Amino acid sequence: MKNRSLICDYDFSKEEIIKIFETAKRVKGEVKSGKFVPYLAGKTMGMIFEKSSTRTRVSFEVGMYQLGGSALFLSSKDIQLGRGENIEDTARVLSRYVDIIMARTFEHSKVEDLAKYGNVPVINGLTDLLHPCQALTDYYTTYEKGKKLEGLKFTYVGDGNNMAHSLMLTGAILGCHVWVASPTSMTVNADVVNKAKQLALKSGGSVNVTTDPKEACKNADVVYTDVWASMGQEAEFTAKEKVLRPYQVNKELFGLAKKDAFFMHCLPAHRAEEVTADVIDGPNSVIFDEAENRLHVQKAIVLFLMGK
Ligand code: CP
Ligand code: NVA
């Protein structure tokens, strides 16, 4: 039987996500109380990066150490993949050395192919299409900080990018009312919206796509934004900035959300672009809890995929 992988947000069911959240809470508690449990003694993760990273690299690497295993940082610039060795051979070779692969790539098909041709679990550490580890962490953080996920109004404002897609899909699985406000020219992928709507039908949640940031933020429980130019799209920044200006999360826009609403951002952030400093550095911002929880949620994902 083929190994389980996390390539798309819907690779896990709601029940499996809840199980992962419970494990995340447990392993976080163990680390906080100074307890070292070597669940993955002797196990190694290979981490392929085609793009830059602070959080993903450090949280997966530290996470493997905290579980008693080890991790190898494999920049695509250094391994033969960057010189044209194909993904099929890379997947097959790495599967002979490591027990699990995490990969951050441009094309989404590359992580799919790593899982297809390799025979170890593969985790999507961000592609141009999706960022499931971040979305799982953000819903975990919302839940950990006391908000009930079913029926929650979870709003994303800005570029219709990988973060918007994963938040829509994971939120739909978990029964949230997900709102995405983006300009028409930067709207979310229609196939992802359709998939998220199907998932919401099952969970009792909903998926709402609009061009109106005010409607999306009104009475929201969470307001989320992300950079205006994702990695690899830097050349488009100037053109995008003009159109995205009305989608900036500032005091006025955030003020439409519930009083106790969380402000969230996957980071890295650009203050005075997608969010103003008073909001991201304000009392409702939970950005560093999100960043910290990447560590614990990803440990839970790895344990789940490795059958531990
Ligand atoms: N949020 C996130 O994935 O950050 P990095 O790009 O630093 O990994
Ligand atoms: N949308 C951003 C997320 C970074 C974590 C990017 O792809 O660059």
Side-chain angles (χ1 to χ4, degrees):
M1 214 181 84
K2 193 79 187 162
N3 282 298
R4 294 283 301 272
S5 284
L6 173 60
I7 307 299
C8 296
D9 301 71
Y10 45 86
D11 287 340
F12 293 159
S13 67
K14 181 175 178 178
E15 293 67 36
E16 288 170 339
I17 294 174
I18 303 293
K19 192 176 164 207
I20 285 166
F21 285 1
E22 283 164 4
T23 306
K25 191 175 171 194
R26 191 187 78 236
V27 293
K28 182 173 181 176
E30 285 168 359
V31 165
K32 296 274 179 196
S33 63
K35 196 169 156 200
F36 174 63
V37 191
Y39 297 98
L40 296 183
K43 302 288 182 195
T44 305
M45 170 181 278
M47 309 190 299
I48 300 174
F49 281 93
E50 284 189 346
K51 297 174 175 174
S52 305
S53 171
T54 298
R55 281 143 288 268
T56 304
R57 176 182 175 178
V58 178
S59 57
F60 270 108
E61 196 164 329
V62 171
M64 283 303 290
Y65 298 150
Q66 289 185 353
L67 295 172
S70 53
L72 293 171
F73 172 68
L74 306 168
S75 161
S76 65
K77 291 191 200 84
D78 302 326
I79 60 172
Q80 299 287 8
L81 184 65
R83 291 184 59 249
E85 183 167 20
N86 69 26
I87 205 85
E88 292 89 325
D89 290 353
T90 304
R92 288 178 177 130
V93 170
L94 288 180
S95 295
R96 301 284 179 114
Y97 298 132
V98 302
D99 304 285
I100 184 162
I101 294 172
M102 191 281 301
R104 168 169 286 195
T105 63
F106 288 93
E107 295 97 336
H108 185 71
S109 59
K110 276 199 183 159
V111 286
E112 288 176 334
D113 286 347
L114 281 171
K116 184 171 165 195
Y117 296 105
N119 57 12
V120 296
V122 174
I123 299 176
N124 177 350
L126 180 147
T127 65
D128 287 347
L129 188 70
L130 298 173
H131 196 2
C133 293
Q134 182 71 52
L136 283 167
T137 300
D138 298 328
Y139 286 104
Y140 172 77
T141 303
T142 306
Y143 147 88
E144 182 193 50
K145 295 183 85 61
K147 295 200 195 287
K148 189 172 180 286
L149 295 177
E150 282 98 352
L152 190 90
K153 182 171 180 180
F154 195 107
T155 294
Y156 174 91
V157 184
D159 186 26
N161 62 14
N162 44 11
M163 245 0 287
H165 294 155
S166 278
L167 290 169
M168 253 185 340
L169 292 165
T170 298
I173 294 169
L174 291 169
C176 301
H177 299 300
V178 186
W179 284 74
V180 176
S182 307
T184 313
S185 57
M186 282 157 232
T187 195
V188 274
N189 176 303
D191 293 337
V192 175
V193 176
N194 288 336
K195 180 72 190 174
K197 285 191 170 168
Q198 274 174 27
L199 292 164
L201 280 180
K202 198 176 157 204
S203 68
S206 65
V207 175
N208 312 272
V209 179
T210 175
T211 53
D212 182 355
K214 292 193 176 121
E215 186 192 13
C217 287
K218 202 169 165 220
N219 285 322
D221 295 285
V222 176
V223 176
Y224 199 115
T225 192
D226 187 14
V227 289
W228 286 346
S230 286
M231 289 181 276
Q233 299 166 12
E234 290 79 3
E236 294 160 40
F237 179 77
T238 313
K240 288 177 101 174
E241 185 192 8
K242 288 192 190 73
V243 187
L244 282 163
R245 203 39 75 181
Y247 295 80
Q248 181 188 65
V249 180
N250 51 34
K251 233 176 171 171
E252 192 196 341
L253 190 61
F254 190 66
L256 299 173
K258 287 189 183 154
K259 267 210 153 45
D260 65 346
F262 293 150
F263 171 75
M264 290 190 147
H265 193 307
C266 54
L267 304 180
H270 295 126
R271 286 167 178 78
E273 291 176 15
E274 73 273 9
V275 59
T276 52
D278 51 2
V279 173
I280 194 168
D281 300 319
N284 294 41
S285 175
V286 297
I287 54 170
F288 299 115
D289 296 309
E290 295 173 77
E292 178 187 345
N293 281 335
R294 289 289 299 279
L295 177 62
H296 308 297
V297 171
Q298 287 164 187
K299 283 186 291 187
I301 294 169
V302 173
L303 289 171
F304 177 80
L305 291 175
M306 297 189 69
K308 297 284 177 183

